[in-house]
């Protein structure tokens, strides 16, 4: 529906947060959404973690020193931030504000604490979707299918999942991912609907004013 | 998506209000929605207006005497009511509450005042969609195409449209009906998304509790 937006009216972007325990399918759903929808882009975080060889500055992360990160955080340049295993991560405010104003939607891959901060900072803009696995057995099967993860990593992911599950009721929408196609169409319906919210479409006010003006003229002439 | 709901979990129904000035396409959109979606039914109002020959009791309206209506209203049996051209109209509370609890969605054809009352009575359940015509010229063309309306009726509808347009910003979503197919797919996306809201899915709590229980067992065993 992205292409129609320009034709119809300028709107404010959606800040879409998809959270889930590992193995519930968040990564696949996010990737499919970015492929299918032209008008949504992944938020690029800043981090103090060392760059891996495969990672590209500005595409995977903006890599910063700890003092640079601290300056951004302390001067209000981050919408949310967290420390994970000794590294800092954060969402740059400027990029998000620019996307919002241009009617560009932004997809976030942030944890439950980050989501909480982001929603507090931008309550009218954030849409939170929680993806649940149909069962823990299915979740473990999916984690084990990922060849790269050893048993210790899987156990760590399961422990993290316990924390994440505790926060499911902070979210606006819930998708149970027992069928990827259905889960994906549900995700798209959520994004399509949120794009139609009145509060995101300031240009509608001008259309209504034009309609009122033209209607008054017709009524007066009859 | 209606068929999937039963498989997945019991949910609370959506009270869907579609409002628009005459000629914006509300009637066509409503009819198409009732045809396409099994899990939504039209709310049947009570009225004191005389029954027309073509109308069926309990299908088009529940026809009541003025004292019967007054009793229903005064004993809290109506979720909203209005007097229009000397006749009373209202929405029976019981039918709506029963539908909600059964996960059945309800579509309302009520005016802006009725919408206001309904949203005040059921704030968590009501979803309000305002349909706008792309232009007043197009709206007049559509009104004129309805062979049954004479010029005086069209002018009366245009005057009523002035009142209705004033309330557009009470609504949650706005659809600009410049293309019926697109407007209809937007309406369906809104309904699909609203069905996925966490607050409408109390059964999800039980799924999360089951996941937490199973996850704790797996973590404890490793």
């Amino acid at each position: 529906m992205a292409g129609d937006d320009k034709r119809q009216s300028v709107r404010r972007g959606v800040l879409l947060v998809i959270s889930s325990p590992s193995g519930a399918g968040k990564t696949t759903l996010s990737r499919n959404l970015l492929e299918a929808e032209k008008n949504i882009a992944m938020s690029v975080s800043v981090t103090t973690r060392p760059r891996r060889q495969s990672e590209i500055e500005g595409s995977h992360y903006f890599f910063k020193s700890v003092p640079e990160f601290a300056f951004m955080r302390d001067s209000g340049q981050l919408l949310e931030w967290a420390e994970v295993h000794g590294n800092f991560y954060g969402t740059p405010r400027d990029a998000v504000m620019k996307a919002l104003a241009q009617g560009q939607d932004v997809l976030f891959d942030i944890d439950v604490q980050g989501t909480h901060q982001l929603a507090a900072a931008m309550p009218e803009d954030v849409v939170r979707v929680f993806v649940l696995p149909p069962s823990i057995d299915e979740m473990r099967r999916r984690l084990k299918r990922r060849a790269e993860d050893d048993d210790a990593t899987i156990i760590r992911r399961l422990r993290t999942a316990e924390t994440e599950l505790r926060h499911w009721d902070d979210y606006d929408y819930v998708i149970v991912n027992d069928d990827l196609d259905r889960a994906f169409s549900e995700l798209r319906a959520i994004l399509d609907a949120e794009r139609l919210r009145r509060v995101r479409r300031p240009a509608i006010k001008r259309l209504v004013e034009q309609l009122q003006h033209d209607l008054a003229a017709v009524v007066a002439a009859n």
Side-chain angles (χ1 to χ4, degrees), chain A:
Chain A
M1 219 170 284
D4 297 322
D5 291 312
K6 277 182 207 90
R7 178 163 60 85
Q8 197 170 114
S9 62
V10 180
R11 67 166 175 88
R12 196 165 163 89
V14 176
L15 305 186
L16 184 66
V17 179
I18 308 176
S19 298
S20 81
S22 292
K26 176 180 70 166
T27 308
T28 306
L29 287 169
S30 299
R31 195 178 51 225
N32 291 359
L33 191 67
L34 292 167
E35 273 170 23
E37 292 275 350
K38 283 192 181 62
N39 205 45
I40 192 164
M42 198 78 201
S43 169
V44 181
S45 295
V46 292
T47 184
T48 61
R49 158 167 96 51
R51 187 172 73 81
R52 293 175 193 151
Q53 277 215 320
S54 61
E55 290 176 334
I56 299 160
E57 161 78 17
S59 172
H60 295 90
Y61 285 98
F62 295 105
F63 295 94
K64 303 287 180 189
S65 68
V66 172
E68 282 171 333
F69 186 95
F71 177 77
M72 290 186 77
R73 181 193 59 199
D74 299 341
S75 58
Q77 293 179 50
L78 300 179
L79 279 172
E80 59 82 30
W81 67 275
E83 187 181 351
V84 181
H85 303 311
N87 297 307
F88 292 101
Y89 297 82
T91 298
R93 179 185 297 270
D94 277 0
V96 170
M97 301 312 279
K98 196 175 157 193
L100 276 182
Q102 291 176 341
Q104 166 96 37
D105 307 315
V106 185
L107 181 63
F108 291 84
D109 183 4
I110 55 181
D111 68 3
V112 288
Q113 290 103 316
T115 304
H116 194 77
Q117 289 179 56
L118 188 68
M122 313 289 290
E124 294 232 309
D125 299 298
V126 170
V127 174
R128 288 158 294 183
V129 179
F130 204 81
V131 180
L132 287 171
S135 70
I136 296 300
D137 279 350
E138 177 59 24
M139 199 172 99
R140 287 179 77 192
R141 270 193 293 276
R142 290 181 197 171
L143 286 174
K144 283 183 180 164
R145 243 179 273 147
R146 294 190 199 168
E148 75 267 31
D149 290 344
D150 56 21
D151 282 1
T153 305
I154 290 177
I155 292 301
R156 200 176 66 237
R157 288 186 191 281
L158 291 174
R159 285 185 197 279
T160 308
E162 286 193 299
T163 311
E164 284 159 347
L165 271 178
R166 248 174 255 139
H167 294 270
W168 76 282
D169 61 356
D170 292 341
Y171 286 72
D172 303 304
Y173 298 95
V174 181
I175 293 176
V176 180
N177 185 12
D178 51 1
D179 176 290
L180 184 63
D181 287 342
R182 190 171 54 81
F184 184 57
S185 76
E186 291 182 350
L187 181 61
R188 293 197 74 169
I190 292 167
L191 181 58
D192 284 343
E194 288 288 341
R195 286 169 168 172
L196 296 166
R197 282 201 172 265
R198 178 181 51 78
V199 291
R200 292 208 167 83
R201 304 174 74 191
I204 291 287
K205 187 163 191 290
R206 289 196 295 279
L207 171 61
V208 171
E209 284 165 357
Q210 183 66 48
L211 292 172
Q212 287 174 323
H213 174 270
D214 295 350
L215 192 54
V218 171
V219 169
N222 280 276

